[in-house]
Amino acid sequence: MSPPEHFVVEYAINPWMDTTTPVDTELAVKQWEGLRETLTRLGHTVHVLTPEIGLPDMVYAANGAFSVDGVVYGARFRYPQRMAEAAAHKRFYAELGWKYATPVETNEGEGDFTYLPSYLGGVVLAGHGFRTEAAAHSEAQEALGRPVISLRLVDPRFYHLDVALAPLDDSTIAYYPEAFSESTRAVLRQLFPDAVIADEEDALAFGLNLVSDGRNVVLNTEATAFAAKLRSAGYVPVPVELTELKKGGGSVKCCVAELRP
């Protein structure tokens, strides 16, 4: 995670960003600390990536890379405002001693990639359509040695996979069908017949931008209806408030890059 010490909304690169809406940076840091403390209380170790001046979106740490089994497929951001973030993430993984694959294709890390370790022996789900190029999926497959299933996003409000789909455990997902093309919906129905289905209200409340450890599901406090669906499915919702960071188009998952050694 990377604290939002320099967080502002001074440009708009997704439909959620409004440069005329003021941001309370002090409150953003307080809410971010609440998320970090929640993850720590649930037993997770949180590493902190030092934020850099001039990179206000570094708080959305998920976008900086994607890792599987200690191998990292680096990010290559679509917009110039965020491009320098990739180098900061690369340095972090270098300090861990992990193998790093420098991308040629445009991709935004865990924003558009997620991993299900127990499904088909380990499979990557990958989004494209707005931020990540479809060609990055095959590049990631070569770098990580894991099969990649391509999913096409069609609604600009759900510009990253992680606002439209989330793993709940090692083989189960939740998703909002209308964020995807009709053919992609058919693929998801076939592969995940037992998925938790979110509706538009759930998705617009950033309910799918969550972090789950297989039991506890940390998600935005505004996603109350979706929290109830998760509870009915046997999970334990853990709500956190991230109103300020939502102004940049992200919530819980956007703030967390999961390390898979």
Side-chain angles (χ1 to χ4, degrees), residues 221-246:
T221 51
E222 296 176 28
T224 53
F226 190 61
K229 293 177 184 177
L230 292 171
R231 191 176 293 107
S232 296
Y235 299 93
V236 179
V238 183
V240 294
E241 187 170 351
L242 289 176
T243 54
E244 291 307 296
L245 295 175
K246 187 179 176 184

Side-chain angles (χ1 to χ4, degrees), residues 201-236:
E201 178 187 5
D202 300 326
L204 291 177
F206 280 72
L208 290 162
N209 196 239
L210 59 82
V211 170
S212 175
D213 59 15
R215 173 173 171 76
N216 302 292
V217 181
V218 184
L219 76 167
N220 196 301
T221 51
E222 296 176 28
T224 53
F226 190 61
K229 293 177 184 177
L230 292 171
R231 191 176 293 107
S232 296
Y235 299 93
V236 179

Side-chain angles (χ1 to χ4, degrees), residues 72-145:
V72 184
Y73 176 54
R76 185 181 178 92
F77 287 87
R78 175 165 297 279
Y79 292 102
Q81 293 94 331
R82 299 197 65 184
M83 285 182 176
E85 294 178 38
H89 287 269
K90 183 176 182 178
R91 288 192 296 270
F92 172 83
Y93 287 106
E95 291 174 3
L96 291 181
W98 291 14
K99 180 181 178 182
Y100 186 94
T102 301
V104 173
E105 304 295 342
T106 299
N107 83 89
E108 298 198 343
E110 284 201 321
D112 277 318
F113 291 93
T114 194
Y115 185 56
L116 297 173
S118 296
Y119 188 84
L120 299 176
V123 67
V124 175
L125 302 182
H128 69 98
F130 296 103
R131 296 294 191 86
T132 293
E133 297 293 339
H137 297 179
S138 57
E139 187 176 58
Q141 182 169 270
E142 289 298 312
L144 301 170

